[in-house]
Amino acid sequence: MINILDPGARVIDLGCGSGDFLIRAHSKIESGFGVDGSKQLIKYAQNRTKDLNITNLTFEHRMIDQDFKPKAHFTHATACLLFHVLPQELAVQILKFSTTYCARLIICAFAPPENKKQQLLMWLDQRFTSHYRHYREYCQNGYMEGLIKKCQLHIDDIADTFDPTLKIYTLSH
Ligand SMILES: C[S@@+](CC[C@H](N)C(=O)[O-])C[C@H]1O[C@@H](n2cnc3c(N)ncnc32)[C@H](O)[C@@H]1O
């Protein structure tokens, strides 16, 4: 995902977790803003940024809901492993609405398994999570491509990752 970002990008990372992506990307981008619903993870990201003397990143503890609207505009919105966690109606709203505050989206998400082994490994990974119901809905609705289609976004590229069940989608509107 870092390789796909344009140098000088202004990035919002949705569901940023511990901030790992923005922290790794910070020297390539102009600024980064991470939002996550976990207070603990945001605190961790803020402490790490401070310890590493990184000055171009900010993190905010906030639940992203259908009314979520950041104060600034961004060149890119990124999201890694977020959309299968959310109720799918909310996932559609967040994805659609992100086009009002950023030009491009880079999303790392589960793709349809290519064989029974991948299917089983994905199921084992997700079955005992609290969001399993949302994950099932995500699969039934056609995975990330199903969401993208619903939002009428344009897929510029789909890149493979080290994990065959995870793909990186570059989108525009
Ligand atoms: C599977 S984790 C991925 C975290 C991070 N992007 C990564 O790749 O390591 C999903 C993250 O989404 C966050 N999350 C889930 N629903 C959210 C919501 N409605 N608003 C903000 N964050 C949310 C969770 O707190 C969690 O940190």
Side-chain angles (χ1 to χ4, degrees):
M1 285 172 76
I2 294 172
N3 292 342
I4 300 169
L5 281 174
D6 301 322
R10 282 175 288 110
V11 182
I12 179 167
D13 191 24
L14 304 167
C16 65
S18 63
D20 196 48
F21 170 67
L22 286 179
I23 289 170
R24 283 168 191 258
H26 86 275
S27 57
K28 185 179 176 181
I29 63 178
E30 185 182 307
S31 62
F33 174 54
V35 194
D36 198 281
S38 162
K39 198 172 179 179
Q40 216 176 355
L41 290 175
I42 288 296
K43 194 79 215 147
Y44 179 83
Q46 287 168 335
N47 287 341
R48 253 186 95 199
T49 309
K50 203 171 161 195
D51 289 348
L52 295 168
N53 270 326
I54 297 172
T55 54
N56 63 340
L57 301 183
T58 49
F59 293 95
E60 185 177 325
H61 168 230
R62 185 158 158 195
M63 278 314 267
I64 303 169
D65 59 16
Q66 61 274 21
D67 301 320
F68 173 73
K69 187 165 167 49
K71 290 185 190 99
H73 271 256
F74 300 88
T75 59
H76 297 73
T78 54
C80 187
L81 292 173
L82 173 69
F83 287 102
H84 71 277
V85 168
L86 300 168
Q88 290 304 287
E89 206 183 307
L90 179 61
V92 171
Q93 287 166 335
I94 291 172
L95 190 58
K96 241 187 204 164
F97 200 63
S98 67
T99 61
T100 64
Y101 56 79
C102 76
R104 284 186 103 187
L105 291 119
I106 303 172
I107 292 165
C108 183
F110 282 121
E114 287 162 13
N115 53 49
K116 290 273 175 217
K117 187 180 164 199
Q118 286 180 13
Q119 190 173 12
L120 177 65
L121 288 174
M122 283 169 78
W123 181 83
L124 281 172
D125 184 59
Q126 293 294 306
R127 177 62 190 93
F128 303 103
T129 62
S130 56
H131 58 258
Y132 179 63
R133 194 162 49 93
H134 301 150
Y135 168 75
R136 282 201 47 176
E137 215 187 319
Y138 171 87
C139 300
Q140 282 159 3
N141 292 345
Y143 296 78
M144 196 62 219
E145 288 193 45
L147 271 173
I148 294 166
K149 213 170 170 182
K150 259 195 182 157
C151 298
Q152 297 180 310
L153 295 174
H154 182 262
I155 300 181
D156 295 329
D157 187 54
I158 303 178
D160 290 331
T161 70
F162 67 93
D163 182 334
T165 64
L166 292 176
K167 306 262 184 222
I168 299 172
Y169 301 84
T170 306
L171 313 176
S172 57
H173 50 92

